Amino acid sequence: MKRKITIGYVLSRLMLVFLAVVGVFPFIMTLYLSVRNNIEIATEFWSLPRVLHWDNYAAAFQGICMPVARSIMICIVTITLLLMLSSFTAYIFARMEFKGKEFIFTLYMIVMMIPGTLTMAPLFFMVNRLGLLDSWWAIILPHVAFWQILGINILRNNYAGIPNSLFESAKLEGANDIFCFLQIALPLTVPALLTVGIQAFLAFYNEYIWSSLVLSGSKKLFSMFVVELGSGNSSDMGITSAAYVLGTIPLLILMSFGMKYYLQGALSGSVKE
């Protein structure tokens, strides 16, 4: 049966094409600028490059290698702690009963609604009083504290969607709550864990404001390096664009391997039978 072509159908497809072009255009322009020098960018911005300046990538790689490595290391440590805390806490909220559970969970949700910019100043003073400024813990601990709220919300819905019969059967065989958590709940919610991890990685890797407040110039992360590289009148837009492209490669690799599980985890737990 052929689909009837209507005005609404055509407009919807045109809108999807427009949104796709708008989304991809900035990255295409970054690739385009990454193989040009400042003179060509300033005088012949829209013309095709006569010479491809691949040396921009060599220059950018020398400076961006360590900031990218630091950012990836920070992301791995932070996400590991985040998933450990949020998964265990979410399991308690989803599968256990205790007084004040709903009230405590409501407090978690209220904290999630507070904009991060409002808590940045008191958080900075707290980190300073703890003596954590200019250390990796000044990045790791606040990110874990704030992002575990979102992780708890997502994982709680997934844990609550697991049939009770699985846990009841295990407990009849003598299993305790720790066994049920490690052997039943965690394996069944791997896509949700990956969803939280990917979302957190994207946020941590690209975060700039908080990192620039608590870290010195000798400990530049990826976002700090490219912002400093592109600031000032003497900045080389070709090298800066090449640095952006190189810094995006870890994100492209992550999404290419994790998109399937990311979507699966984002949708799971949203509909209950």
Side-chain angles (χ1 to χ4, degrees):
M1 182 178 179
K2 292 185 178 180
R3 177 186 292 272
K4 185 178 179 180
I5 305 300
T6 62
I7 296 177
Y9 177 83
V10 173
L11 291 177
S12 63
R13 268 43 186 185
L14 290 176
M15 179 59 69
L16 290 176
V17 172
F18 172 76
L19 293 176
V21 171
V22 171
V24 175
F25 182 75
F27 186 70
I28 294 177
M29 288 301 301
T30 304
L31 290 173
Y32 168 73
L33 295 175
S34 67
V35 292
R36 308 192 71 185
N37 57 30
N38 267 1
I39 297 176
E40 292 177 350
I41 293 174
T43 58
E44 303 174 358
F45 185 84
W46 294 108
S47 62
L48 294 176
R50 291 187 293 270
V51 179
L52 300 179
H53 295 272
W54 297 110
D55 54 314
N56 289 342
Y57 282 91
F61 181 79
Q62 293 178 0
I64 204 174
C65 185
M66 286 306 298
V68 168
R70 293 190 196 103
S71 295
I72 294 176
M73 182 271 292
I74 291 295
C75 288
I76 291 175
V77 174
T78 305
I79 291 172
T80 301
L81 294 175
L82 168 65
L83 294 180
M84 290 174 58
L85 292 175
S86 59
S87 60
F88 188 70
T89 307
Y91 181 81
I92 294 175
F93 278 119
R95 311 302 311 186
M96 297 183 181
E97 296 296 332
F98 55 90
K99 291 184 178 180
K101 182 178 75 171
E102 295 301 326
F103 175 73
I104 297 175
F105 185 75
T106 301
L107 292 180
Y108 269 96
M109 294 301 101
I110 292 174
V111 173
M112 188 173 66
M113 298 176 186
I114 300 175
T117 52
L118 296 181
T119 60
M120 192 168 294
L123 183 61
F124 177 83
F125 288 114
M126 184 185 301
V127 170
N128 186 27
R129 291 294 297 273
L130 292 174
L132 299 178
L133 282 182
D134 202 24
S135 70
W136 299 127
W137 292 113
I139 300 292
I140 295 172
L141 295 180
H143 283 338
V144 171
F146 280 98
W147 269 81
Q148 70 168 322
I149 301 174
L150 178 62
I152 290 171
N153 190 28
I154 294 176
L155 295 173
R156 175 178 178 267
N157 293 333
N158 282 266
Y159 289 144
I162 300 175
N164 289 326
S165 57
L166 294 176
F167 298 97
E168 293 172 356
S169 300
K171 290 182 178 181
L172 288 176
E173 297 295 330
N176 55 21
D177 289 324
I178 297 178
F179 179 90
C180 292
F181 170 67
L182 295 176
Q183 300 297 324
I184 299 176
L186 276 184
L188 292 177
T189 55
V190 169
L193 291 170
L194 291 176
T195 298
V196 176
I198 291 174
Q199 286 186 354
F201 190 97
L202 295 175
F204 300 161
Y205 189 79
N206 293 305
E207 196 277 329
Y208 168 72
I209 298 177
W210 178 251
S211 301
S212 63
L213 285 176
V214 298
L215 293 181
S216 65
S218 61
K219 295 182 177 180
K220 292 186 181 69
L221 300 180
F222 164 69
S223 57
M224 300 169 62
F225 176 80
V226 293
V227 170
E228 181 178 315
L229 186 64
S231 61
N233 297 326
S234 60
S235 62
D236 192 314
M237 288 303 300
I239 296 178
T240 302
S241 299
Y244 273 110
V245 174
L246 293 175
T248 306
I249 291 177
L251 301 182
L252 294 177
I253 295 174
L254 176 66
M255 295 307 297
S256 63
F257 287 99
M259 179 59 73
K260 173 183 176 182
Y261 304 101
Y262 175 81
L263 295 176
Q264 183 180 349
L267 295 175
S268 62
S270 58
V271 179
K272 295 184 179 180
E273 298 180 356

